[in-house]
Amino acid sequence: MASRKVLVLLLTVFSLHLVKAKTRRSEGSQPNVLFILSDDHGYRDVGYHGSLFATPVIDKLAADGVKLENYYVQPICSPTRSVLMSGRYQIRYGLQHAVLDPMAPSCLPTDEVTLAQKIKEAGYSTHMIGKWHLGFYEEACLPTNRGFDTFLGLLLGGGYHFSHSFPTPKFYDLHRNVEAALEYNGIYSTYVFTNEAIDIINKQDEDKPFFMYLAYQAPHAPLEVPEHYKDPYRSTFEDEDRLNYAAMVSCVDEGIGNVTAALKAKGIYNNTVIIFSSDNGGSVRDGGNNWPLRGSKLSMFEGGMRALGFVHSPLLSDDVKGTVSKELYHVSDWFPTFVEGIAGGNTDGTKPLDGFNQWESIRDGTDSSRTELLHNIDPLWTVAGGRDWVVKESPFNVSINAALRQGDWKIVTGDTGFWGWYAPPDTGIDTINGTTTNEQVTWLYNITADPLEMNDLSDEHPDILMTMLEKLQEYYLNSVPVYYPDTQPLHALPCYNGNNCIWGPWTPK
C-alpha cells in the first residue's frame, strides 16, 4: 500500500515537472506578434491624449506597456503600409507620390521582399485582416502572394463599412484570400475583422507562432457605425462627423478588447507582443483631430505623421512597463524589429532596409538605433514661387514636398497640405491658421523643443538649414523615379472587365 502511494506521488511530481517544462518551452518560444493598425486615427483621438470619447482598452494596454511618443508613420494610407511591408522608404521603389489608385496598374513592387515573407521564413503562420491598399491589378500583388497564409479584407483604400463596396454599392470589395466574401455584405467591417482575428486565434496551433496584421478600416470615412455606439456621445458632440467618428473609434476599441480577451482565453497572451499604430494623422475634414499638433492627414507637419503608438506585452522588461518612450521610431523599423528582434529570424535576401531592429530599445528602454528619418520626397507634389526667402544656391529644390528629421531638427519644404492647428470643437479653442504656402515654402524646427512647430528657425540657423537641404538632395539623388501611371477605368472597373462587379485583378492595356 505504501509503495502504491509512493508511486502515485512520483507520477504526480513527474506530471507537474512535464507541465512546468511545457510552460517554460512555451514562454521561451518565439512570441506571437499582433500588429493592429487603425485608419485615419488622429493623434488627439484616444483617451490618454485627452479625447472626450472613451478608449478604455487602448488606454489600459498603452498604460501597461510602452507608449511611443516620438513615433512616425507616413502622412497618408498606402505609403505607410508599403513602408511597413518593405521596411524601406517610399523613394526606394517609386511609391513616393499619393496613394495607390485601384484603376492604375501599380502595386508594391513584387521584387520587394515583404515583412510577411521573412517572418514566415522564421517559422510563423501569417494572417492579414482588413485594409490592404497596396495594389491588386495583377494576382502577384495580392496579400496571399506577398507572404500571407490567409487574407480577409478589402483591397482598396476605403469603402462603405456595411456594404463593403466603393464607390457605389455596385462595386464589391471584401475578399477571403482571392475570392469575394459576399456573405459579409451588411455586416459592419470592424465586426468582420475582429471576429476573423478571434477565429484565427481560437484555431491557432499552440506549437506554431503567428504574425497577425489586423488593419482596421475605421475610423476612415465614410463615417458609418452601428447606431448604439453613438448613444454615449450624443450630448457631447454637436458636430455629426465628430459624433460618428467617436463612435467608430469606440467600436474599434471594443474590438481590440475582444481580440485581447481571445488571446488570454487561448492561453497565449503571455507569449504575445501587441503593437498598436495609426496609419497617418486624422483627417480634420472627416471628424478626426490631431490637436495640439500642427496639421492633418496629408501634411508633412507633425499632425500628419506623428502617430499613435504603443507596445504591450508581458515580455517587456518590468522597468519599461507603464512608461512613455521619447526615443525616435519609424514605421519602417517594424520589419527588422519583428523579424530579427522578436522572431529571431534574419533579413537576408531583402534589399537594403531603412528600418532598424528596435526590439531591445523598446523591450528594455535603451536608446533607439535611429537618429535620422526621411519622411518623404515627392517630386510630383510641388508648389510655385514663394516669397524671396529662398536660400540662394540651395542644393535642393524647395518647391518639392519633402521633410527630413535629423536629431532634434526637422525641415519641411513645399508643403501644400494642412498647415494650421485644428482644435477639436469640444475644446472651445479657435483654429489657428499657420503661414500659407503662398508666403512660405520651407520651415525649420527644433522639434524636440517645439513639437507643435510654432517657431520657424530657418532664418536664425541658416547653417543647419543648409546642412539639411544638402541631406535632402543626397536622398533625392539616390531615389528612384516616381511610378504613378495613368488610370485605366475601362479595364479596371469591375462591372466592365468581366469581374462581375467585384474588385480584383485586371489586365492593363
Side-chain angles (χ1 to χ4, degrees):
M1 189 73 175
S3 62
R4 171 181 266 182
K5 289 182 178 179
V6 171
L7 180 60
V8 170
L9 179 62
L10 287 173
L11 288 173
T12 301
V13 171
F14 183 64
S15 297
L16 288 172
H17 174 75
L18 287 178
V19 170
K20 289 180 179 178
K22 183 176 180 181
T23 300
R24 283 198 299 270
R25 283 199 301 274
S26 177
E27 291 178 351
S29 64
Q30 293 168 298
N32 305 303
V33 178
L34 169 59
F35 184 78
I36 303 170
L37 191 68
S38 59
D39 197 358
D40 281 11
H41 195 164
Y43 183 83
R44 167 79 173 192
D45 298 329
V46 289
Y48 69 85
H49 279 171
S51 75
L52 290 186
F53 46 88
T55 53
V57 174
I58 289 173
D59 292 353
K60 176 62 173 172
L61 291 174
D64 292 343
V66 180
K67 295 175 183 174
L68 308 180
E69 292 295 323
N70 196 14
Y71 163 58
Y72 291 87
V73 292
Q74 302 306 108
I76 197 168
C77 301
S78 52
T80 289
R81 296 157 206 272
S82 71
V83 174
L84 169 69
M85 281 293 110
S86 68
R88 287 156 47 83
Y89 295 146
Q90 300 161 256
I91 64 166
R92 309 298 190 196
Y93 41 81
L95 299 186
Q96 55 268 57
H97 180 67
V99 297
L100 289 170
D101 192 302
M103 295 182 291
S106 180
C107 71
L108 176 66
T110 54
D111 61 351
E112 291 289 331
V113 177
T114 70
L115 164 58
Q117 289 171 308
K118 291 307 296 183
I119 204 166
K120 186 174 182 177
E121 287 180 12
Y124 282 62
S125 65
T126 54
H127 309 280
M128 202 269 138
I129 305 167
K131 175 175 164 178
W132 176 238
H133 205 187
L134 287 178
F136 60 88
Y137 79 100
E138 59 180 7
E139 289 193 3
C141 303
L142 297 175
T144 49
N145 290 319
R146 305 309 299 268
F148 288 102
D149 295 326
T150 68
F151 168 63
L152 177 67
L154 62 155
L155 297 173
L156 276 68
Y160 293 99
H161 294 262
F162 289 96
S163 65
H164 315 299
S165 59
F166 189 82
T168 72
K170 197 173 184 181
F171 301 144
Y172 193 77
D173 179 32
L174 191 69
H175 299 76
R176 181 175 292 283
N177 300 327
V178 297
E179 302 295 332
L182 297 170
E183 66 270 25
Y184 294 105
N185 189 358
I187 304 175
Y188 189 58
S189 64
T190 299
Y191 291 167
V192 172
F193 302 145
T194 295
N195 291 337
E196 178 72 2
I198 292 170
D199 190 52
I200 290 172
I201 290 167
N202 289 340
K203 294 176 180 177
Q204 179 65 25
D205 180 350
E206 294 179 38
D207 294 325
K208 188 178 182 66
F210 69 81
F211 166 58
M212 182 181 293
Y213 173 27
L214 175 54
Y216 282 111
Q217 184 185 352
H220 192 290
L223 302 178
E224 297 180 317
V225 66
E227 284 294 313
H228 70 274
Y229 289 99
K230 301 180 189 179
D231 292 341
Y233 308 112
R234 294 188 189 278
S235 62
T236 304
F237 300 111
E238 295 181 1
D239 181 86
E240 188 68 20
D241 283 350
R242 191 68 173 157
L243 172 63
N244 283 315
Y245 182 96
M248 293 173 79
V249 172
S250 294
C251 185
V252 168
D253 188 75
E254 175 187 86
I256 295 171
N258 292 338
V259 173
T260 305
L263 292 171
K264 293 179 178 179
K266 183 71 173 178
I268 57 178
Y269 163 79
N270 286 338
N271 198 37
T272 299
V273 182
I274 301 171
I275 302 92
F276 176 83
S277 173
S278 50
D279 71 333
N280 47 247
S283 171
V284 297
R285 289 175 171 172
D286 297 300
N289 198 270
N290 309 294
W291 181 263
L293 300 180
R294 183 177 188 177
S296 176
K297 175 183 178 178
L298 295 172
S299 173
M300 288 292 193
F301 293 108
E302 294 291 282
M305 301 183 296
R306 185 175 287 205
L308 295 172
F310 64 79
V311 178
H312 173 97
S313 176
L315 300 174
L316 295 172
S317 165
D318 289 341
D319 293 336
V320 303
K321 292 176 182 176
T323 64
V324 173
S325 173
K326 295 296 182 71
E327 295 297 313
L328 182 61
Y329 302 119
H330 183 238
V331 64
S332 63
D333 295 334
W334 296 125
F335 190 130
T337 298
F338 295 168
V339 173
E340 297 175 337
I342 298 177
N346 64 72
T347 54
D348 297 347
T350 66
K351 296 180 180 181
L353 299 180
D354 293 300
F356 295 87
N357 176 3
Q358 304 280 21
W359 180 231
E360 182 178 330
S361 174
I362 294 169
R363 182 193 61 201
D364 300 328
T366 59
D367 292 344
S368 168
S369 300
R370 179 179 293 281
T371 59
E372 181 174 295
L373 169 56
L374 176 69
H375 292 297
N376 196 28
I377 301 172
D378 182 358
L380 296 190
W381 184 352
T382 61
V383 295
R387 59 185 177 136
D388 294 334
W389 63 270
V390 179
V391 179
K392 292 181 179 179
E393 301 179 0
S394 170
F396 180 73
N397 180 354
V398 293
S399 70
I400 292 175
N401 178 245
L404 170 70
R405 172 82 176 267
Q406 285 186 317
D408 295 332
W409 294 95
K410 176 184 174 183
I411 186 173
V412 179
T413 67
D415 192 289
T416 57
F418 291 87
W419 31 257
W421 294 263
Y422 305 94
D426 52 81
T427 62
I429 301 173
D430 292 333
T431 290
I432 306 170
N433 290 325
T435 305
T436 68
T437 51
N438 290 329
E439 299 172 354
Q440 184 172 359
V441 287
T442 193
W443 297 261
L444 179 70
Y445 300 102
N446 183 323
I447 209 67
T448 303
D450 180 26
L452 306 188
E453 297 171 297
M454 303 190 78
N455 301 302
D456 173 33
L457 300 176
S458 54
D459 291 335
E460 288 86 343
H461 294 280
D463 53 336
I464 295 174
L465 181 66
M466 183 61 71
T467 296
M468 298 190 76
L469 287 169
E470 290 171 350
K471 188 65 180 180
L472 277 174
Q473 182 66 6
E474 180 183 333
Y475 275 114
Y476 181 58
L477 292 175
N478 287 292
S479 66
V480 303
V482 175
Y483 184 67
Y484 196 70
D486 293 338
T487 59
Q488 298 184 22
L490 290 181
H491 303 291
L493 285 172
C495 285
Y496 301 96
N497 62 10
N499 278 356
N500 297 317
C501 294
I502 298 167
W503 286 101
W506 52 277
T507 304
K509 300 296 182 183

